[in-house]
Amino acid sequence: MALVKGEGAFVWDAEGNKYLDFVAGLAVNSLGHCHPKVVEAIREQAETLMHVSNLYWIEPQVKLARLLVENSALDKVFFCNSGAEANEGAIKLARKYAKKYLGPDKYEIITMEKSFHGRTLAAITATAQPKYQKDLDPLPPGFKYVPLNDFAALEKAISPNTCAVMMEPVQGEGGVNVADYDYMQQVKQLCLEKNLLLIFDEVQCGLGRTGKLFAYEHYNVEPNIMTLAKAIAGGFPMGALLATDKVAECFQPGDHASTFGGNPLAAAAGCAAVSILADKDFLVEVAEKGAYFEQKLHRLKDKYSFITDVRGKGLILGLGITVDGKSIVDGCLQKGLIINCVGSNVLRFIPPLIITKQNIDDAVNIIDEVMSGLSFNEVEL
């Protein structure tokens, strides 16, 4: 299928077929496709100045940094082009900080099983999923993995070399797994006691996806470092690494850089997108629509025995299933709904945040139709 046009929550393929998009470019198109304010910002900036080097001040970059800092618990922003780059920067910054403040032997970072932090070499090593690391040996040293929400395992994993804990508050690629509130409190307290940095990867779950601008706000826990990407520029490629002042100062000029990161075009798109995503009324609506969608999914769970659970927060939701998800994904596509499946047994829903309750009703009705048509053999898989 070749998608050639998008508008709001819908896309069209090359044959003219229309689809309700509940994947949203893998949580990139949070404002829907071709949001007019993002389109206008890109058009205006493209006519003015598309790219200059970060050797100079870039006005929309400064504006976007201010937007992010004023709406978060972090103090400084480094811009790049993707989530993987943002996480590579976070790993480098954590080790720089550790060398400066904790000692020469502090370099190890603990991450969570079923995490996903990107496909560059250090980021894929931080990603605790062996299937993504196959045939990439030797992987960079300095990473340990523990199960999410297992505090005893995390405590046990800390060694004299540990400098940071890195995690997604809501795992996306790993199956829409949500960190427990109490667990997050324990993790933060442990990091304070052991003098470890806490890094939150909010590349997928950040920027309004959970009904709050940042997922960490659900936990009353503030990170030392946070990474963003996907929705940050409304569909234009961009990533961001945020840190507190004390941590950020460990990057001095020349320590880390990106040729295209935060260039005028990307930053203008980012300003337009984040201005909308940070709006409090907008976020209230996201939370309300997420609760409505979740309620609808629970009704499906009550109807079908092969649905094991409903998981997620806001508008990053998942259905655990005991059947092969591909048949459901394919069936929905044939009926005009785009969804996807992670790990073969979790249907993931990451629609544009601008969807309506009618869109949700339409999607759930299609999923219901497809599930009701599953054969006995498919249900027993």
Side-chain angles (χ1 to χ4, degrees):
M1 180 174 67
L3 299 178
V4 297
K5 177 186 173 184
E7 182 179 342
F10 295 93
V11 288
W12 287 260
D13 67 18
E15 281 71 49
N17 298 305
K18 182 180 179 181
Y19 303 89
L20 180 56
D21 183 5
F22 268 45
V23 172
L26 296 174
V28 169
N29 301 111
S30 287
L31 295 176
H33 296 275
C34 302
H35 191 284
K37 289 190 176 179
V38 176
V39 170
E40 183 58 27
I42 291 172
R43 181 186 293 116
E44 288 184 3
Q45 191 61 51
E47 292 174 347
T48 305
L49 180 67
M50 286 205 290
H51 178 81
V52 289
S53 165
N54 278 302
L55 294 171
Y56 316 104
W57 286 105
I58 297 172
E59 185 180 7
Q61 184 187 112
V62 176
K63 289 180 178 178
L64 180 55
R66 181 177 292 116
L67 260 177
L68 293 170
V69 165
E70 289 179 349
N71 286 282
S72 75
L74 291 307
D75 303 308
K76 293 288 193 297
V77 189
F78 174 89
F79 292 105
C80 51
N81 309 287
S82 67
E85 287 179 64
N87 285 328
E88 288 274 347
I91 291 164
K92 286 177 63 176
L93 182 56
R95 289 184 172 178
K96 279 273 191 181
Y97 175 90
K99 293 296 189 295
K100 181 173 181 178
Y101 290 107
L102 307 179
D105 297 326
K106 299 284 189 176
Y107 61 89
E108 193 174 76
I109 297 173
I110 300 172
T111 66
M112 305 295 140
E113 293 175 7
K114 298 184 179 180
S115 60
F116 188 84
H117 298 295
R119 294 184 185 268
T120 51
L121 201 55
I124 209 70
T125 307
T127 296
Q129 296 196 59
K131 66 181 179 180
Y132 293 120
Q133 300 170 347
K134 185 179 178 183
D135 298 328
L136 298 180
D137 296 332
L139 296 171
F143 295 90
K144 276 186 181 177
Y145 313 132
V146 297
L148 180 67
N149 291 325
D150 186 338
F151 183 68
L154 177 60
E155 272 191 310
K156 187 176 180 181
I158 293 174
S159 77
N161 304 120
T162 306
C163 72
V165 175
M166 182 176 186
M167 61 184 293
E168 302 152 274
V170 181
Q171 294 180 336
E173 179 66 26
V176 194
N177 306 305
V178 182
D180 295 336
Y181 182 89
D182 290 343
Y183 174 74
M184 289 290 251
Q185 307 303 309
Q186 291 176 306
V187 171
K188 181 61 177 180
Q189 187 58 38
L190 182 67
C191 288
L192 290 172
E193 291 173 0
K194 301 291 185 179
N195 206 13
L196 307 176
L197 292 179
L198 181 56
I199 305 170
F200 283 165
D201 176 345
E202 294 215 16
V203 167
Q204 184 166 147
C205 65
L207 293 167
R209 176 60 53 183
T210 64
K212 293 187 181 292
L213 186 57
F214 303 112
Y216 74 76
E217 295 176 68
H218 291 281
Y219 301 95
N220 295 314
V221 167
E222 296 177 354
N224 306 104
I225 298 173
M226 178 172 66
T227 57
L228 304 170
K230 290 194 181 290
I232 192 171
F236 200 90
M238 188 179 220
L241 164 64
L242 288 76
T244 59
D245 276 328
K246 184 177 179 180
V247 177
E249 69 179 11
C250 294
F251 270 170
Q252 292 298 307
D255 285 344
H256 195 55
S258 172
T259 297
F260 293 104
N263 79 2
L265 196 58
C271 285
V274 174
S275 293
I276 300 168
L277 294 169
D279 181 79
K280 288 181 172 56
D281 292 336
F282 178 84
L283 293 169
V284 169
E285 290 181 7
V286 172
E288 289 174 351
K289 289 182 284 191
Y292 181 79
F293 192 10
E294 187 174 353
Q295 182 184 46
K296 292 281 187 175
L297 294 177
H298 274 287
R299 290 181 186 174
L300 287 179
K301 178 181 178 294
D302 293 339
K303 185 174 180 179
Y304 297 105
S305 61
F306 56 82
I307 299 177
T308 59
D309 65 298
V310 178
R311 57 183 79 171
K313 198 178 285 288
L315 283 173
I316 175 170
L317 295 170
L319 280 181
I321 53 177
T322 58
V323 300
D324 182 15
K326 186 177 185 303
S327 59
I328 299 174
V329 171
D330 291 346
C332 287
L333 188 64
Q334 291 172 13
K335 293 180 180 293
L337 172 67
I338 299 176
I339 62 172
N340 83 327
C341 187
V342 288
S344 80
N345 62 353
V346 179
L347 299 176
R348 176 175 55 169
F349 309 104
I350 39 178
L353 305 184
I354 51 88
I355 56 166
T356 64
K357 289 184 178 179
Q358 184 61 57
N359 295 149
I360 293 169
D361 289 345
D362 292 342
V364 171
N365 288 338
I366 291 172
I367 296 165
D368 191 7
E369 285 180 35
V370 172
M371 287 182 170
S372 67
L374 289 177
S375 70
F376 176 79
N377 288 336
E378 287 172 315
V379 173
E380 290 298 310
L381 280 175

